[in-house]
Amino acid sequence: MVPHPKGSTRSKFVLCAVVVLVAINGLHAEQAEQENSPQLSANDLVRLTVAQELAAANRTDVKHLFRSHKQGPKGSQTHLYVETNDAMAGILVAINDKPLTPEQEQAEIGHLTWLINNPDQLKKKKAREKEDAERTLRIMKALPDAFHYEYEGTEAGTATQGKAGDPLVRVKFTPNPSYSPPSRIEQVLDGMQGFLLIDAAEHRIARIDGTLFRDVNFGWGIIGHLEKGGQFRVQQADVGEGSWDITAMSLRITGKILMFKGISIISDETFSDFRRVPGDLPFAKGVDLLKTEQEKLARLQSESDEREKRQQ
């Protein structure tokens, strides 16, 4: 049986991919004007923008239907996802870039139908996603105190990283040695360093790139640890109508849980074909949208196969 997503693909990686926004006014003014104007420190800018991000996290009226393509050591999977009022609805549409069999398609639809007909299970799914979001907010609140920030220059945005052609400000981050993580959730920040790329005009993060420069232990190493050298990258872009979303994620994480169970997360995932859906979309209606998209993809694939046969 084809495995089913148990939550938002993006939420599974959200702990590693914390969004930091920076509000900068006049970074691209004339150099002489910059020299005559005091510049807010990078640390203070992060503190201000974390407050903005926490406020933005409360928005629930902007929802999307989108495509995910995830590449791992054992191959690739392509999903369609849609954000709804109740939880993220997802459906697998291809394995290793090949369409599902009719039996696999039916299994995917069957799982979604099961969720619709089992409100308690749907509530549990929604609760898991809410817990992921709450962990993200805890990490976000810790950012101003957990790191030191420095400006490192600028570079141009792209279609999948900020906005194509728009300047992005590079901000380096390193751990604050005086920071004491209040719980295991924030402990991962203690061994992390990297940089952010920020669209100053839009006040959005276009990229966060982090590396574990030392092992990070949880519960004195008894509960588990993440190994030095782990890396993650998350990109964001304007996906239309001024709405930003994650467009790519890359993870290279190894470690152990409970001293014995090894973990290894190696994956690259891209998100594309974003389309706005109603802000008050119920789960059942979201599933209907996924079915329509699945049928459309099957029809396009059939037409493509027919063209190939005629050309042979």
Side-chain angles (χ1 to χ4, degrees):
M1 191 176 203
V2 179
H4 304 290
K6 297 183 178 179
S8 164
T9 298
R10 294 177 295 173
S11 69
K12 293 178 182 178
F13 299 104
V14 76
L15 184 61
C16 299
V18 178
V19 176
V20 181
L21 309 179
V22 177
I24 305 174
N25 291 317
L27 277 178
H28 309 296
E30 294 295 327
Q31 182 176 0
E33 182 179 346
Q34 290 181 335
E35 291 174 351
N36 293 330
S37 302
Q39 186 183 62
L40 196 63
S41 73
N43 282 57
D44 287 341
L45 287 170
V46 169
R47 190 173 297 279
L48 287 174
T49 53
V50 163
Q52 293 181 6
E53 177 63 13
L54 293 175
N58 292 325
R59 289 197 64 182
T60 60
D61 59 317
V62 179
K63 293 182 173 65
H64 291 100
L65 185 152
F66 58 94
R67 180 192 299 259
S68 157
H69 185 269
K70 182 178 180 181
Q71 181 70 49
K74 296 183 179 180
S76 69
Q77 291 190 341
T78 304
H79 285 86
L80 293 176
Y81 289 102
V82 63
E83 299 164 317
T84 78
N85 289 344
D86 303 296
M88 183 79 77
I91 185 170
L92 181 66
V93 295
I95 299 175
N96 294 324
D97 299 324
K98 294 181 179 179
L100 302 187
T101 65
E103 293 78 14
Q104 290 172 327
E105 288 182 359
Q106 187 56 46
E108 290 294 305
I109 296 299
H111 177 70
L112 292 173
T113 302
W114 176 77
L115 281 173
I116 292 172
N117 295 330
N118 289 269
D120 288 343
Q121 293 299 320
L122 187 56
K123 287 180 181 178
K124 289 180 180 179
K125 175 176 168 59
K126 183 176 182 179
R128 288 194 298 268
E129 293 179 6
K130 182 179 179 181
E131 289 174 0
D132 286 337
E134 289 174 348
R135 284 193 289 269
T136 301
L137 293 180
R138 289 189 61 172
I139 289 287
M140 203 172 294
K141 290 176 182 177
L143 290 177
D145 298 317
F147 295 111
H148 290 312
Y149 300 89
E150 300 176 21
Y151 294 118
E152 280 196 326
T154 62
E155 59 184 82
T158 67
T160 59
Q161 185 171 275
K163 284 185 176 181
D166 281 8
L168 301 175
V169 180
R170 182 174 170 123
V171 179
K172 174 184 176 182
F173 63 86
T174 54
N176 178 0
S178 63
Y179 175 69
S180 178
S183 74
R184 290 197 298 271
I185 292 176
E186 296 90 352
Q187 274 184 292
V188 67
L189 302 177
D190 190 46
M192 189 182 299
Q193 63 185 17
F195 67 88
L196 308 174
L197 290 179
I198 301 147
D199 186 318
E202 295 293 329
H203 305 161
R204 299 305 301 257
I205 181 96
R207 175 169 174 169
I208 177 168
D209 202 306
T211 300
L212 292 176
F213 65 93
R214 63 180 174 222
D215 289 353
V216 176
N217 293 319
F218 301 92
W220 298 282
I222 297 174
I223 294 177
H225 74 273
L226 300 178
E227 294 176 353
K228 175 183 177 180
Q231 296 178 314
F232 75 91
R233 171 178 52 82
V234 179
Q235 293 176 203
Q236 285 199 138
D238 186 330
V239 297
E241 302 179 53
S243 177
W244 284 56
D245 217 320
I246 295 174
T247 56
M249 294 190 298
S250 177
L251 290 172
R252 301 289 187 274
I253 302 293
T254 58
K256 286 188 176 181
I257 299 176
L258 297 177
M259 298 178 65
F260 304 107
K261 184 179 179 181
I263 58 172
S264 178
I265 303 174
I266 301 175
S267 70
D268 295 281
E269 190 163 11
T270 58
F271 303 92
S272 61
D273 301 333
F274 288 87
R275 192 176 76 205
R276 283 285 291 272
V277 297
D280 58 349
L281 187 67
F283 189 83
K285 293 293 185 181
V287 171
D288 288 341
L289 288 177
L290 291 179
K291 289 179 181 178
T292 299
E293 289 298 311
Q294 182 190 48
E295 292 168 359
K296 185 188 300 183
L297 289 174
R299 184 171 62 254
L300 292 174
Q301 183 63 46
S302 178
E303 293 172 355
S304 176
D305 292 342
E306 285 298 323
R307 285 195 297 271
E308 289 183 2
K309 287 181 181 179
R310 290 196 295 268
Q311 293 173 356
Q312 291 177 354

